[in-house]
């Protein structure tokens, strides 16, 4: 089996300005959504301390909150991951992207969906407060259409590869896009979504939309960017394949752990817990694979910010997913479920893992595509603001959420839990401000890597060591 | 090509099967869950109110699921499958930044309270961080016939004119007032009158030895305060002062300080409506708490009220409550 994304400069992006433009277009668009979504987040965080701030229908908390989550999921992370996936697929298959035009069509569809979805939510058109599928269904159909376009383009690209084997990154990328077409469809069709039936579908949907969309695409970036940055093959190709299949088999089963102690059938809840534990296989296997690929070279993180972002992403994956397993135990869920601890967990995973993975991928690959570098100072400022900010955020929500849960267990009056978590809401805001500032710096860096003047001279794509496992 | 079909096609087929088994099939089956006894569909205005609830994202902070855990007991009896038969979209929620609303009509049974609270939650719960929904209300010079203006405390009222709810607010409150758990028939039958609902029955069992000990040694006032803060303070306030024009004070209240506790117990057990309290008439009814709390719990609440804020009513026991309960609401 091939063990390295063994791309060929002749068909590389340096020779293919169209692919570079597409990659840049996705990145710029995603970055705009990131800045927007996290600006909304600051308003939301502020409201916890000043609930009368921005009262009025359009700025009310319950409308802005789904705008934040959906813009982050479908505006920022989805668009950024697809843009990177196109680049990774074309390069690792040593071929040109099947259709640049389809790539742009997909980008317009993703943006159209995210824009219409945001407007609809702010006007109060919310499809049932069902998490991550709040957009009215016609808008979700547009998003699904963008997924189909992306799937066709990626499959056709892999089909015309000039390598013998399909490199591991493409397994994750193709799988993620194809499975998500199914998830989106299951979420939209109404016939099995009444009352408790919809609860079962919600459990399935909200977890799969995360774990079989963002996770495989982000892992696809790791498997490509890490060997490229280190000029060294992935530690174990076979372990990567094991993680691929186990992730596929276990992840779809664990969604109901969002509804433990609910009237959902006992078997559905218990299998969810059992497989939440089984998820340690792909998570630890995958994380070990990445960390072992870096073995003996951790010192290089000090010189390479792209590597730094990826390292944080790997740690975020390991810690966040392991935490998810722990949260699924009934004994721990009894304290943590329904508290802000969950909010900390979702940021540890969507931010500490997925978002850092995307950043690592963009810093590692975009300069190679466009020939323009982000400045070192800019990357440093982005890195440290984001790391410190998200650390404060996650710690504040974890402690605050635990206190909330313990207050309830001790039978204190409910309002006491609102009072006790108050200071931690403030700390969350502090972390959030740092995170938002890091996004502004990131936007500046993206500008330099794409439309603006890059730092330093044109860079050649990093040399790639070619060998087999 | 074979490799591509195996990886992309094979994994997608596997995923498709799993999506059927874990999502679609349970969805089909559970969609046919029959409504539990006493669970009714919403009326037209209540359904309209649910749309207001959804479009403003209430369920991002409020759950509608009571778990079979001791900590959830304050929100009602554990939810059963039949409770959700008419709940589409499902509004179980994932966070309790605010309290669970499954049974809010029982716990906050006053429409007036709901209006004040929606207009500005801090008017009734000073520490609340819920948004104000003042934009669902209108300020007019004079309330039209048949519409009761929202009795806001001075600090929260507009400088001139009165506040009346818009149609949206009326629908939303109608929906909130529909959130009431149907009692589970078997629980009532087996527990008898002393511990009426399934939830409090269960807890009475676990706290029985403690309760017995305290009946000998006196009331559990700390527990009474907890229950009061959760269930009574929203209207009567943590300071016992109530809200002028809306909810009567308990501090210095004649019934609370009466040496004969019968009427005090009666009001808490069975509620009160349309009767003047210390010479003042109030529009909103006092809900009946007898179905939600055991005799011991009601005794604790009453003993707390009778000893707090400078009150000095005679302390009572669970036996006193049982005696009033046995006579029934008519007396």
């Amino acid at each position: 089996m091939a063990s390295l994304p063994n791309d060929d400069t002749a068909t590389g992006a340096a020779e293919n300005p169209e692919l570079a433009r597409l990659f840049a277009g996705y990145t710029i668009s995603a970055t705009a959504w990131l800045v927007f979504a996290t600006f909304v987040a600051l308003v939301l965080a502020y409201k916890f301390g000043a609930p009368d701030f921005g009262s009025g229908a359009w700025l009310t908390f319950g409308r802005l909150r789904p705008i934040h989550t959906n813009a982050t999921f479908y505006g920022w992370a989805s668009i950024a991951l697809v843009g990177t996936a196109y680049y990774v697929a074309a390069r690792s298959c040593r071929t040109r992207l099947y259709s640049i035009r389809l790539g742009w069509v997909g980008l317009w569809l993703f943006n159209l969906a995210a824009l219409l979805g945001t407007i609809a939510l702010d006007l109060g058109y919310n499809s049932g407060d069902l998490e991550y599928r709040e957009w009215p269904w016609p808008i979700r159909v547009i998003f699904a259409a963008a997924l189909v376009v992306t799937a066709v383009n990626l499959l056709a690209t892999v089909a015309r590869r000039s390598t013998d084997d399909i490199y591991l990154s493409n397994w994750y990328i193709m799988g993620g896009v194809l499975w998500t077409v199914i998830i989106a469809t299951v979420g939209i069709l109404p016939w099995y979504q009444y009352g408790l039936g919809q609860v079962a579908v919600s459990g399935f949907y909200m977890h799969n939309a995360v774990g079989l969309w963002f996770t495989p695409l982000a892992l696809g970036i790791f498997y490509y960017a890490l060997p490229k940055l280190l000029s060294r093959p992935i530690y174990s190709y076979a372990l990567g394949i094991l993680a691929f299949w186990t992730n596929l088999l276990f992840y779809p089963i664990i969604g109901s752990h969002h509804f433990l102690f609910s009237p959902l059938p006992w078997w559905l809840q218990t299998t969810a817990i059992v497989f939440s534990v089984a998820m340690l296989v792909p998570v630890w296997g995958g994380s070990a694979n990445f960390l072992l690929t870096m073995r003996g070279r951790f010192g290089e993180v000090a010189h390479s910010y792209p590597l730094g972002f990826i390292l944080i992403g790997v740690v975020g994956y390991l810690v966040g997913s392991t935490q998810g397993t722990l949260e699924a135990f009934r004994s721990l869920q009894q304290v943590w479920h329904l508290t802000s601890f969950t909010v900390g967990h979702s940021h540890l995973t969507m931010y500490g893992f997925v978002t850092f993975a995307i950043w690592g991928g963009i810093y590692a690959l975009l300069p190679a595509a466009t020939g323009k570098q982000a400045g070192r100072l800019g990357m440093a400022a982005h890195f440290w603001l984001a790391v410190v900010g998200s650390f404060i955020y996650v710690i504040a929500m974890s402690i605050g959420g635990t206190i909330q849960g313990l207050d309830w267990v001790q039978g204190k009056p409910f309002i006491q839990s609102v009072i006790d978590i108050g200071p931690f809401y403030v700390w969350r805001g502090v972390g959030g401000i740092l995170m938002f500032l890091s996004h502004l710096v990131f936007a500046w860096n993206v500008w330099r890597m794409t439309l603006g003047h890059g730092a330093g001279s044109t860079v050649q794509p990093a040399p790639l060591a070619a060998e087999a496992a | 090509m074979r490799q591509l079909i195996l990886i992309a096609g094979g994994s997608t087929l596997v995923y498709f099967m799993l999506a059927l088994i874990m999502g679609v099939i349970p969805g089909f089956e559970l969609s046919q869950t029959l409504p539990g006894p006493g669970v009714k569909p919403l009326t037209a205005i209540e359904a309209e109110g649910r749309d207001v609830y959804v479009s403003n994202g209430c369920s991002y902070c409020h759950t509608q699921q009571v778990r079979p855990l001791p900590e959830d007991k304050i929100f009602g009896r554990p939810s059963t499958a039949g409770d959700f038969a008419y709940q589409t979209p499902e509004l179980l929620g994932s966070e309790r930044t605010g309290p669970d609303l499954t049974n809010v009509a029982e716990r906050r049974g006053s429409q007036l309270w709901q209006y004040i609270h929606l207009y500005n939650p801090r008017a009734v719960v000073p520490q609340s961080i819920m948004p104000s929904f003042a934009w669902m209300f209108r300020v007019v010079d004079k309330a039209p016939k048949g519409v009761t203006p929202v009795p806001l405390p001075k600090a929260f009222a507009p400088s001139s004119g009165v506040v009346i709810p818009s149609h949206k607010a009326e629908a939303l409150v109608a929906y909130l007032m529909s959130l009431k758990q149907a009692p589970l028939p078997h629980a009532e039958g087996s527990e008898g009158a002393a511990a009426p609902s399934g939830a409090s029955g269960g807890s009475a069992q676990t706290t029985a030895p403690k309760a017995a000990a305290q009946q000998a040694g006196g009331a559990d006032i700390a527990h009474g305060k907890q229950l009061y803060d959760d269930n009574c303070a929203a209207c009567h306030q943590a300071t016992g002062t109530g809200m002028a024009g809306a909810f009567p004070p308990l501090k210095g209240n004649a019934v609370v300080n009466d040496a004969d506790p019968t009427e005090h117990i009666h009001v808490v057990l069975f509620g009160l409506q349309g009767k003047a309290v210390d010479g003042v008439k109030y529009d909103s009814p006092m809900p009946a708490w007898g179905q939600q709390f055991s005799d011991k719990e009601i005794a604790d609440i009453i003993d707390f009220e009778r000893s707090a804020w400078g009150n000095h009513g005679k302390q009572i026991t669970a036996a006193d409550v049982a005696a009033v309960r046995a006579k029934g609401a008519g007396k």
Side-chain angles (χ1 to χ4, degrees):
Chain A
M1 285 257 169
S3 61
L4 195 75
N6 186 8
D7 42 348
D8 169 8
T9 15
T11 52
E15 309 290 312
N16 185 353
E18 282 188 315
L19 179 62
R21 262 203 300 277
L22 186 69
F23 187 12
Y26 272 82
T27 305
I28 291 169
S29 173
T31 307
W33 281 110
L34 175 68
V35 171
F36 168 74
T38 49
F39 177 74
V40 171
L42 285 190
V43 177
L44 287 168
Y46 188 67
K47 278 168 171 281
F48 279 84
D52 288 317
F53 170 76
S55 45
W58 292 9
L59 286 177
T60 196
F61 182 90
R63 293 192 187 182
L64 292 186
R65 193 230 196 225
I67 288 177
H68 164 68
T69 53
N70 284 276
T72 314
F73 273 37
Y74 304 122
W76 154 243
S78 299
I79 293 178
L81 284 167
V82 168
T84 316
Y86 276 145
Y87 181 80
V88 169
R91 296 282 296 190
S92 64
C93 291
R94 279 200 271 174
T95 184
R96 285 172 184 277
L97 192 68
Y98 169 69
S99 166
I100 293 288
R101 175 183 282 270
L102 270 186
W104 287 109
V105 169
L107 180 58
W108 281 107
L109 288 174
F110 279 125
N111 272 298
L112 182 67
L115 185 66
L116 290 178
T118 300
I119 295 170
L121 288 175
D122 207 32
L123 294 177
Y125 294 100
N126 184 322
S127 173
D129 292 3
L130 303 169
E131 282 189 304
Y132 318 140
R133 49 182 181 141
E134 285 100 338
W135 293 346
W137 68 265
I139 300 175
R140 281 182 282 140
V141 169
I142 299 176
F143 186 84
L147 284 176
V148 171
V149 168
T150 308
V152 168
N153 209 357
L154 284 167
L155 286 174
T157 302
V158 175
R160 64 195 268 185
R161 70 190 180 281
S162 62
T163 55
D164 285 340
D165 287 313
I166 298 175
Y167 183 67
L168 196 49
S169 287
N170 297 307
W171 293 44
Y172 282 93
I173 291 169
M174 287 188 298
V177 179
L178 287 168
W179 308 331
T180 307
V181 173
I182 298 176
I183 301 167
T185 312
V186 169
I188 290 170
L189 298 178
W191 310 304
Y192 38 82
Q193 300 199 45
Y194 297 98
L196 206 56
Q198 192 171 49
V199 178
V201 176
S202 286
F204 170 81
Y205 179 89
M206 71 166 86
H207 213 86
N208 281 244
V210 178
L212 291 158
W213 174 228
F214 301 117
T215 300
L217 269 81
L219 295 180
I221 292 183
F222 285 157
Y223 280 111
Y224 181 78
L226 204 50
K228 196 168 159 68
L229 285 168
L230 293 168
S231 301
R232 161 196 265 193
I234 198 80
Y235 176 75
S236 164
Y237 200 82
L239 189 54
I241 291 172
L242 174 79
F244 174 85
W245 289 111
T246 45
N247 190 71
L248 169 65
L249 286 174
F250 300 160
Y251 219 123
I253 303 179
I254 67 181
S256 298
H257 70 204
H258 288 256
F259 292 105
L260 295 192
F261 301 110
S262 78
L264 278 186
W266 203 239
W267 71 266
L268 210 55
Q269 299 186 32
T270 303
T271 46
I273 298 170
V274 171
F275 282 93
S276 297
V277 177
M279 274 306 294
L280 293 178
V281 174
V283 168
W284 288 3
S287 307
N289 210 358
F290 302 130
L291 294 174
L292 285 167
T293 304
M294 297 178 80
R295 70 196 180 283
R297 308 264 301 264
F298 287 99
E300 289 176 30
V301 170
H303 311 291
S304 162
Y305 279 102
L307 208 53
F309 278 104
I310 288 183
L311 179 62
I312 298 282
V314 170
V315 172
Y317 178 55
L318 175 63
V319 177
S321 306
T322 306
Q323 186 190 50
T325 298
L326 291 176
E327 283 182 83
F329 290 120
R330 287 200 175 92
S331 51
L332 291 172
Q333 176 146 122
Q334 200 166 339
V335 176
W336 282 334
H337 194 32
L338 309 177
T339 70
S340 289
F341 190 90
T342 320
V343 181
H345 171 67
S346 62
H347 283 78
L348 178 54
T349 48
M350 271 306 287
Y351 201 86
F353 162 35
V354 175
T355 296
F356 272 87
I358 295 171
W359 284 331
I362 287 174
Y363 283 130
L365 307 176
L366 192 57
T370 61
K372 294 178 193 170
Q373 282 280 24
R376 200 173 160 73
L377 188 65
M379 284 195 285
H382 175 198
F383 182 80
W384 287 111
L385 284 169
V387 168
V388 175
S390 54
F391 188 79
I392 294 175
Y393 187 112
V394 172
I395 295 292
M397 285 297 91
S398 305
I399 299 176
T402 307
I403 291 175
Q404 233 181 337
L406 291 176
D407 277 356
W408 298 344
V409 169
Q410 289 167 21
K412 292 189 182 168
F414 185 86
I415 194 72
Q416 191 61 42
S417 68
V418 179
I419 297 166
D420 288 346
I421 195 181
F424 298 95
Y425 285 144
V426 176
W427 278 108
R428 181 251 299 273
V430 171
I433 288 171
L434 297 181
M435 289 152 79
F436 178 71
L437 290 176
S438 88
H439 305 160
L440 295 181
V441 178
F442 172 61
W444 165 243
N445 291 341
V446 168
W447 171 261
R448 297 187 86 180
M449 288 186 285
T450 55
L451 302 172
H453 292 289
S457 56
T458 313
V459 267
Q460 286 300 315
L464 286 157
E467 65 295 307
Chain B
M1 203 61 196
R2 264 192 57 217
Q3 205 189 351
L4 178 61
I5 291 170
L6 194 76
I7 297 168
S11 71
T12 304
L13 192 68
V14 169
Y15 186 68
F16 180 75
M17 300 302 291
L18 285 168
L20 280 185
I21 298 169
M22 300 311 297
V24 175
I25 293 174
F28 266 117
E29 249 170 49
L30 294 168
S31 286
Q32 282 149 32
T33 308
L34 295 173
V39 177
K40 291 185 205 71
L42 298 182
T43 64
I45 180 121
E46 289 164 359
E48 221 179 303
R50 180 172 60 192
D51 290 344
V52 177
Y53 185 94
V54 166
S55 91
N56 295 293
C58 301
S59 61
Y60 296 115
C61 293
H62 296 285
T63 53
Q64 288 192 36
Q65 50 170 326
V66 182
R67 301 169 296 172
L69 297 174
E71 61 194 85
D72 274 23
K73 208 208 113 193
I74 53 163
F75 298 122
R77 64 159 170 80
S79 302
T80 62
D83 292 341
F84 300 97
Y86 298 111
Q87 206 191 74
T88 309
E90 56 94 356
L91 297 168
L92 272 72
S94 59
E95 267 179 69
R96 273 186 197 154
T97 306
D100 183 272
L101 299 183
T102 304
N103 204 27
V104 69
E106 290 285 358
R107 300 190 302 113
R108 301 282 185 271
S110 154
Q111 282 199 20
L112 229 47
W113 184 88
Q114 294 289 354
Y115 281 129
I116 300 172
H117 183 252
L118 277 178
Y119 184 83
N120 193 322
R122 281 152 293 288
V124 275
V125 186
Q127 308 90 337
S128 169
I129 59 167
M130 178 170 135
S132 147
F133 290 90
W135 53 273
M136 284 190 197
F137 293 79
R138 280 181 301 145
V139 179
V140 292
D141 290 339
K142 202 168 163 278
K145 263 214 165 81
V147 177
T148 316
V150 181
L152 292 164
K154 271 224 166 58
F156 294 90
S159 49
S160 69
V162 293
V163 170
I164 58 168
S166 70
H167 180 70
K168 266 197 172 127
E170 285 174 347
L172 181 55
V173 168
Y175 172 63
L176 293 174
M177 287 295 130
S178 79
L179 296 177
K180 202 178 285 191
Q181 286 185 316
L184 293 180
H186 66 88
E188 256 181 304
S190 61
E191 302 280 347
S197 80
S200 55
S203 122
Q205 234 173 11
T206 55
T207 55
K210 197 175 146 210
Q214 261 144 8
Q215 247 161 36
D220 186 352
I221 292 204
H223 185 224
K225 177 175 170 17
Q226 264 179 21
L227 293 171
Y228 177 90
D229 285 346
D230 256 332
N231 298 283
C232 318
C235 292
H236 297 295
Q237 300 295 298
T239 51
T241 49
M243 276 179 56
F247 311 114
L250 303 182
K251 182 182 175 178
N253 183 303
V255 169
V256 175
N257 288 288
D258 193 342
D260 176 6
T262 313
E263 190 174 351
H264 191 179
I265 298 171
H266 193 278
V267 170
V268 177
L269 275 178
F270 303 112
L272 188 70
Q273 183 158 21
K275 215 176 147 193
V277 178
D278 289 344
V280 184
K281 272 199 80 166
Y282 294 90
D283 285 328
S284 62
M286 161 85 178
W289 298 94
Q291 291 293 308
Q292 294 178 58
F293 294 117
S294 68
D295 294 340
K296 171 69 182 126
E297 287 167 324
I298 289 197
D300 286 345
I301 294 171
I302 288 178
D303 283 340
F304 165 71
E305 290 171 351
R306 288 178 156 249
S307 57
W309 320 301
N311 286 344
H312 41 77
K314 191 180 136 249
Q315 298 286 290
I316 64 158
T317 63
D320 298 329
V321 179
V324 178
R325 196 195 283 273
K327 281 190 203 158
K331 295 278 144 66

